[in-house]
Amino acid sequence: MNKNNRIFATLLFGLLSTLVSAKELQQEPMDMSGERLDAQACRVLVKEGTILPMSKLMKLADHKTTDHILDAFLIRSKTHYIYLIESVGVDGIVRTFYLDATTGERISVKP
């Protein structure tokens, strides 16, 4: 598969994932605003088994995208723990991904 086909396939996968996530959000909206937690709070939550470690999510993401991570942090909303991840793609577009910190599932993507 040549480079252009790989880029197209990656973008198509991202688009399809976004559409699936948007459909799931319509069924049960999730509040993505909340308190940003520090590294110590994240370590405690990982140790308790409440959230997945960021390292595990990054390994999963490596298989799904060629984006480069710019920033990542954990948010505690009223009902969920959410990882907010900002990345830049090979196309130069910065995207913000919201992942459920307990399951690793993608909640939303904002280009």
Side-chain angles (χ1 to χ4, degrees):
M1 183 182 282
N2 69 30
K3 185 177 179 180
N4 288 336
N5 286 345
R6 267 187 274 135
I7 291 171
F8 178 75
T10 300
L11 293 174
L12 182 60
F13 177 81
L15 177 63
L16 292 174
S17 297
T18 302
L19 292 174
V20 169
S21 295
K23 184 175 182 178
E24 291 170 0
L25 281 176
Q26 289 174 354
Q27 295 171 354
E28 184 180 329
M30 186 179 292
D31 179 19
M32 289 183 275
S33 62
E35 173 190 5
R36 182 176 174 163
L37 300 178
D38 64 11
Q40 180 59 31
C42 293
R43 280 191 286 276
V44 170
L45 291 167
V46 168
K47 187 175 181 180
E48 292 173 348
T50 303
I51 64 170
L52 295 172
M54 181 65 77
S55 60
K56 184 172 184 173
L57 294 177
M58 292 301 100
K59 286 179 184 176
L60 293 171
D62 284 345
H63 300 291
K64 295 181 180 180
T65 183
T66 58
D67 287 8
H68 297 283
I69 304 299
L70 300 174
D71 193 14
F73 54 89
L74 182 67
I75 298 171
R76 178 177 42 211
S77 74
K78 292 178 184 176
T79 59
H80 289 84
Y81 289 100
I82 302 163
Y83 281 116
L84 184 148
I85 301 170
E86 293 177 346
S87 66
V88 62
V90 293
D91 54 5
I93 296 175
V94 176
R95 293 174 182 80
T96 303
F97 294 86
Y98 295 92
L99 303 175
D100 184 317
T102 58
T103 64
E105 291 186 38
R106 188 181 296 178
I107 299 167
S108 175
V109 178
K110 293 183 181 178

